[in-house]
Amino acid sequence: MHLRKLVWREMFERKNQLATSFLAILLGIAVVVSIKNITFFSEKAVAAQLDALGANVLILPKSVSLQDYYSADMQNDEFPEEYVQRLALSDIQGLDNLSPKLSLPVKLKDRSFTLTGILPKSEFQAKAMWSGAGIFARPAEGCGTVADVPGALRPTAKETLVRQRVIEDLSDTEALIGADVATLLGTKEGDSLDVLGRTFTVTAVLPQTGTVDDSRIFAHLHAVQDMAGKGPVINAIEIVGCCKEISGGLVQKINKLLPDAKVVTVTQVVDTQVKTNGMMARLSLIFLGIIVLVGGASIANYMYANVYERRREIGTLMALGAGSGVILKMFLLKALLLGLAGGVCGYILGTVLAVALGPRLAGIPVLPMPVLVVWAIGISVVIALVASYFPARRAARLDPCATLQEV
Amino acid sequence: MRLESVSKSYQHRGRTVAALDNASLEIPAGDFVAVVGPSGSGKSTLLLVLGGMLSPSTGKVHLNGHSLYELSPNQRAEVRRQKVGFVFQTFNLVPYLTALENVQIPLYLAGVDEPAQKERATALLERVGLGDRLDHKPPELSIGQQQRVALARVMANDPEIILADEPTGNLDPETGQQILDLLEDINREGRTIVMVTHDPRAAARAKRTLRLHEGRISSASNGVPAATRRDSNRTMM
């Protein structure tokens, strides 16, 4: 005989009452595990989709509005290219894809197009002073890159410019042209293209996007700066920021770093995601509150009833020499076992529900998250122990004489 | 074991009820005392006070020369674990444990390891004639068998004093006699027995009888009054 056996045997003596408490804690934990699991994968999927949308943060000169930028495609105000360096050297998280741009209006065969200078990634990495510091020293977290969205094809090299707003390599004499430019000028890959007195080789025709990008000619930023004759200036920096970082105050951080520039975000998209994340977090908290109340109250009620029913047994044990510590441990060990079982089974049920319902409810694949088992057991055990403490204390303080006389 | 001017009163519906009224008593080691008296005369209260389960309103209870109620509740539990055994009219076996496990409880509480618990509990159950009922739970045993399990349980920690509250009260005469035979055997081993009973035949098996009336010890038969016995008897506690 030992305490565990005593507790174990008693638990199965009153199975029906135990089952009610067990179910309360099991269902509560299962619901929260399920919500947390689906939310995690939903946030991940939405973040990936948001990243795939392209730039969601724009840095513009103070005088320019987002409306101007999109409607006119370009503006006359500029700021120094050095701003890019400042951003790259900063410790701001979530800025993995910086894309500085300088746009000029050009006329080719009597048609108006936009020549946009961009800086390829290789230019950032080539700058020794930037290497080993700032953004390139950070571990790759997948933020700002196009994630593999289930069902979507991996982007080709050309698409990276359209979606990620950056390109790995681009020489001074190379150009990429939008789909409309190619059609209207009858130009294809490998052709030469004369723009403002410079000859570029068309290395790629970008796929149709339905945006102003279709009538752009992309060339190396420094080549475009030379053609504009305005020095090392740019008129926009596009950033594929992580929505998590954007909601975490990215804009304010950039504003602080670049007080002379304006930072705007694709607020609608970000706000929606932030609101969804917030709603799911609140829902999780509400359910957690319900578990604490319902599960805790159910366990406390069960334990009080259990103490009442067992007062003769408690009195007998005390008559046989059990001290109050043994009685207290007897009930708390029972609560611990109940909490452990509720946590483990709640995790399993919650995970099964999440994996089964996730694709139907959120349209995303959901995988089990082993880390939640620790969380589920922790919450369940704490609720069970706290709810059982006062009934257990009452049992330990019972007057053995009264319990033997009254029953 | 000695009671010195012990009184115990309860409040019942605004009235003070005296369960024990200035009771003094000395029980030497090896004695077998029957306590008789009408219902409500304080017999069970006396037993609980002697067992350290119910603190008296006034007076002292001495055990082994120590004042029992000057100890903390946990220290009194320790004394019960080592020296006192209770036998109840309703046996008070733990219903979800087997006979063997019920007898193991006092041994577990005393910190005895499990193999030794099993060995001792088996021997005790064999002694009371239940060697073939080790794995039976109380509801699977007859009333008499349940009381024998309770007797085996009370013997588990080899107590010096056994306090029995109507041990034959729920038994048929034949089974009652078997239990009394066992109690006599236990007493012959040198243990002190205080037995509350309504049954004159059971009381007749004791070495002496104390009569309680309205909380007072009104008479003692087959024995010597406490005041004169104090010097001549070996006291156990």
Side-chain angles (χ1 to χ4, degrees), chain B residues 12-90:
Chain B
H12 183 69
R13 292 183 183 171
R15 271 190 334 120
T16 302
V17 179
L20 282 178
D21 186 5
N22 200 29
S24 292
L25 173 69
E26 184 167 332
I27 301 171
D31 206 349
F32 186 171
V33 183
V35 181
V36 298
S39 294
S41 59
K43 303 187 298 292
S44 294
T45 302
L46 174 70
L47 216 58
L48 291 166
V49 167
L50 284 171
M53 299 271 281
L54 182 63
S55 54
S57 306
T58 58
K60 285 190 172 181
V61 179
H62 292 279
L63 207 63
N64 268 5
H66 297 291
S67 179
L68 192 55
Y69 290 95
E70 283 172 15
L71 301 175
S72 70
N74 279 338
Q75 285 173 320
R76 289 206 298 275
E78 176 75 28
V79 169
R80 283 197 294 276
R81 194 154 60 228
Q82 291 176 354
K83 299 180 188 300
V84 182
F86 274 95
V87 181
F88 305 95
Q89 181 178 358
T90 48

Side-chain angles (χ1 to χ4, degrees), chain A residues 185-388:
Chain A
L185 298 180
T187 309
K188 52 186 189 302
E189 281 181 26
D191 289 353
S192 290
L193 185 66
D194 288 330
V195 184
L196 299 177
R198 273 204 190 208
T199 304
F200 293 94
T201 307
V202 176
T203 54
V205 176
L206 299 170
Q208 188 87 33
T209 62
T211 67
V212 289
D213 285 352
D214 291 344
S215 55
R216 280 186 201 272
I217 299 160
F218 291 95
H220 195 288
L221 175 66
H222 295 159
V224 176
Q225 283 171 342
D226 287 346
M227 291 155 80
K230 292 181 179 177
V233 292
I234 50 178
N235 48 27
I237 303 173
E238 289 185 354
I239 301 171
V240 180
C242 296
C243 61
K244 191 180 83 179
E245 306 293 349
I246 295 168
S247 64
L250 180 69
V251 172
Q252 289 82 349
K253 286 177 192 165
I254 299 175
N255 266 328
K256 206 172 164 189
L257 187 72
L258 306 175
D260 297 328
K262 170 188 273 186
V263 185
V264 288
T265 58
V266 185
T267 50
Q268 208 174 0
V269 178
V270 173
D271 280 355
T272 305
Q273 175 58 19
V274 169
K275 275 180 191 160
T276 308
N277 291 355
M279 191 190 74
M280 294 305 272
R282 279 196 298 278
L283 202 61
S284 268
L285 272 180
I286 289 169
F287 271 99
L288 195 61
I290 292 172
I291 289 183
V292 171
L293 281 177
V294 177
S298 169
I299 291 176
N301 184 45
Y302 163 64
M303 283 293 183
Y304 272 119
N306 194 238
V307 169
Y308 183 77
E309 274 182 27
R310 295 172 68 191
R311 46 202 204 290
R312 181 157 77 170
E313 182 192 326
I314 295 165
T316 305
L317 289 174
M318 286 176 164
L320 294 174
S324 54
V326 172
I327 306 296
L328 189 73
K329 275 190 236 168
M330 201 163 81
F331 283 91
L332 289 183
L333 180 60
K334 181 173 174 171
L336 179 71
L337 291 173
L338 188 62
L340 276 175
V344 171
C345 297
Y347 167 76
I348 293 170
L349 181 62
T351 301
V352 169
L353 283 176
V355 171
L357 298 180
R360 292 181 196 179
L361 295 180
I364 46 150
V366 175
L367 298 172
M369 291 173 64
V371 70
L372 285 181
V373 75
V374 179
W375 182 91
I377 290 174
I379 295 281
S380 178
V381 164
V382 167
I383 291 172
L385 285 178
V386 170
S388 303

